[in-house]
Amino acid sequence: MAQDTVRRRKASSEKDQSDGKKDEIEDKSDDVKPKYGPHVTFPYQRVWSRCVLILGVMLVVWYNSRNGKEVVLARQNDVLISKNLIVECSEDIKSEADKFPGCVPEKCARVVSDKLVSATESDTLLKLAKSGLKLGGSHGGASTLDLHTGALSKGTQFVNVYALHGAKEIFNNADFAIYRVVKTKIQHAVAHHFGVDANKIYLTKPTFFSRLTSVPAKTIHDEYWHPHVDKETYESFHYTSLLYLSDHGRDFQGGRFIFLDNNSVNSTIEPRKGRVSIFTSGSENLHAVERVTSGERYALTVSFTCDKRFAISDPGFDKIKPKSI
């Protein structure tokens, strides 16, 4: 019994000594001051710290997602008097500056205007396109009509639209006159924006109406969505323009025009009825058209060359001999 009492007293004494040493250490730590002064604190410190962390994460995500970034050059609901995006000319454009003086631009660009072609002119050309394409039409999703040669998509082939029954009721000189006026407006816009002589750029082929739909492709001519450079496809090309005759998001879905740039930033144009886009045809303007997912997308492609050997004349029903293509 006495031994138990002695052990309890001894244990209690050791505990008191341990507690005393602990208190002494804590007291000494309280006396230690920060080497560089007191810690800085401010209201809502934790909230601000979290905001900074979230912002850092967002910046990292943005930086890692720059590949495939998209810039909209022209939205459907924009009304643009003129919008230019300068790009560096490719060697395939620069190399021809001496060959075609006064025609090849020093600066290449992409131009969009909603004020170049009137609503009446757009309506007339849309009616002309629809009427002509109604006489044929591809079995796939892309149909074209070339008023200069008469080439019309029909099934999986091409026929001469002027040789078809009913063509004389569709085409008339008044509509052709509107067509020539629009072509001339675009030609002078090319000369103005690229600082070249309007008399030194010539209409060239192919210049044509197009109708794109969501119908699956039947032939290679229906596969309009592949990225391409116009000058690689048609060596004579120097300037390409498109007049849109229907509205993205209203008349059709998809079908945006996309410039694919080396810095992985894509520039897109959303078609708007009456909108004209013009660009140099070299490899500085690699582009593609999105697949149309619904509706019908109408446009008129108008192409120009500096090489007079590849010039074509304006269309006219009296100039076309009805023969098969």
Side-chain angles (χ1 to χ4, degrees), residues 101-104 187-188 190-192 194-202 239 306:
C103 180
V104 177
Q187 181 177 358
H188 283 273
V190 170
H192 170 73
F194 294 97
V196 298
D197 188 341
N199 295 319
K200 292 187 176 181
I201 53 177
Y202 308 96
Y239 302 97
C306 296

Side-chain angles (χ1 to χ4, degrees), residues 274-288:
R275 170 169 289 168
V276 176
S277 67
I278 306 169
F279 53 93
T280 44
S281 305
S283 54
E284 70 280 349
N285 282 318
L286 173 68
H287 59 274

Side-chain angles (χ1 to χ4, degrees), residues 245-261:
L245 299 173
S246 51
D247 288 308
H248 170 265
R250 297 180 182 176
D251 301 314
F252 63 92
Q253 300 294 332
R256 297 181 305 165
F257 190 95
I258 304 174
F259 291 104
L260 307 168
D261 292 325

Side-chain angles (χ1 to χ4, degrees), residues 179-216:
Y179 184 95
R180 291 192 294 271
V181 167
V182 170
K183 180 269 298 184
T184 303
K185 282 185 175 183
I186 296 175
Q187 181 177 358
H188 283 273
V190 170
H192 170 73
H193 287 289
F194 294 97
V196 298
D197 188 341
N199 295 319
K200 292 187 176 181
I201 53 177
Y202 308 96
L203 188 70
T204 191
K205 62 180 181 180
T207 287
F208 58 94
F209 289 105
S210 62
R211 181 183 66 199
L212 306 181
T213 71
S214 60
V215 176

